[in-house]
Amino acid sequence: ITDVSIIKIAEICTNLQDLDVSYCDGITDESVMRIIEEPFTLKKLNISNCDGITDSFRNTHRKRINNLK
């Protein structure tokens, strides 16, 4: 799974509430930022063990990401 595909999934699945992309190394800060900023219906987001997501991003957006759990 890549940034492009994860954004497409979120756009197409407009009622998506739970997204688990753990261990998906093709996911980066860019797509996660887009998903948490857009008015998607997500309530849960698991991005654990995604090597493409930086610690800096996780720390900066921790509160917003944690609100989706």
Side-chain angles (χ1 to χ4, degrees):
I1 294 187
T2 65
D3 283 342
V4 172
S5 59
I6 203 66
I7 291 169
K8 265 303 184 206
I9 289 169
E11 288 173 347
I12 292 169
C13 301
T14 56
N15 292 320
L16 186 66
Q17 293 186 11
D18 189 347
L19 183 60
D20 184 344
V21 291
S22 57
Y23 296 94
C24 293
D25 294 333
I27 303 297
T28 68
D29 300 348
E30 180 182 343
S31 62
V32 176
M33 183 58 137
R34 177 101 181 270
I35 289 170
I36 64 176
E37 284 187 332
E38 294 290 328
F40 295 118
T41 57
L42 272 183
K43 294 182 180 173
K44 289 185 177 181
L45 176 63
N46 184 353
I47 56 170
S48 60
N49 300 300
C50 292
D51 292 339
I53 301 172
T54 64
D55 289 337
S56 174
F57 179 86
R58 291 174 194 271
N59 291 332
T60 302
H61 301 286
R62 182 175 312 277
K63 185 175 181 180
R64 188 179 291 171
I65 293 168
N66 287 341
N67 285 339
L68 293 175
K69 293 183 178 180

